[in-house]
Amino acid sequence: MLPDPKDGRFQELGAGGFRFSCHPGVACFGECCRKLNLVLTPYDVLRLKTRLGLGAEEFIDRHAEVETGQNGWPMPRLQMADNAERTCPFLGQNGCTVYEDRPGACRTYPLGRATRGGQAGGPLEESWFLVREPHCRGFEDGPDWTTEAWTKDQGLEAYHTVNDLFLPIISRQPPAASPEQIHKKMQMFFMACYNLERFREFVANSSLTRMVDLPQARLEAMAQNDLQLLKFAFEWLRFALFGDQTLRLKEGVGPRPA
Ligand code: SF4
Ligand code: SF4
């Protein structure tokens, strides 16, 4: 996604990188954790629900509102607390209470990462920009950062790896179909991306694994490991929704599962 060029907060990131320091001693500590419009990716939800010991459905019921996101796909937005400041529900006295599993957007700030391409296995291009908000004092001091150093420091590699697998789905419009079929596809998308417990049941109880050629070791990993299952979910959605060659049918199997 590219930032709105009319929004003055978004600034070009020069070749020299940026100077920044955020720590509990800054006067604005926690100012950036309120009144947020923070859309959660499937990997954000996976990390947070695991951290909180919740099922995906319970996490979304408690902490998110589902809205129509990019290209019409349903996506959860983090629900702010019902207080005057509309703080993030995870903001505590001493800062972020889910710090090690905070969403990718929180890690990326005060940068933004725009991506494009990546459909059907094509190359993915990334570009970075600065998000300069008047309340943020972090720019006043600190070391100089490159985007590479910031990515590493904030533990963003894992987020980029998984989110970049999601991009070839949400960067496309749902395939043309009747309103009922589109509704079904949206439900399928939401289950596979945001409700891994239900998706695991679906995989176990449908004809999917009998039709798709998957090594036994991968099936076992998907049964036990949410991240492996999520990666499969992205492949399956691309295969079933767009006909991408992300999966292969077993010998002699005809129609594609939908
Ligand atoms: S507003 Fe900026 S400096 Fe202040 S806590 Fe947030 S990121 Fe850190
Ligand atoms: S998850 Fe943590 S870092 Fe992100 S907005 Fe909430 S309190 Fe702030």
Side-chain angles (χ1 to χ4, degrees), residues 90-107:
F90 307 125
L91 181 63
Q93 293 268 325
N94 300 315
C96 181
T97 57
V98 294
Y99 188 78
E100 294 79 7
D101 297 289
R102 66 201 186 283
C106 305
R107 292 165 189 267

Side-chain angles (χ1 to χ4, degrees), residues 44-56 59 197 226:
D44 288 333
V45 170
L46 168 53
R47 291 282 293 252
L48 285 168
K49 66 119 185 159
T50 306
R51 163 80 178 220
L52 299 169
L54 299 174
F59 173 83
E197 289 87 9
D226 276 353

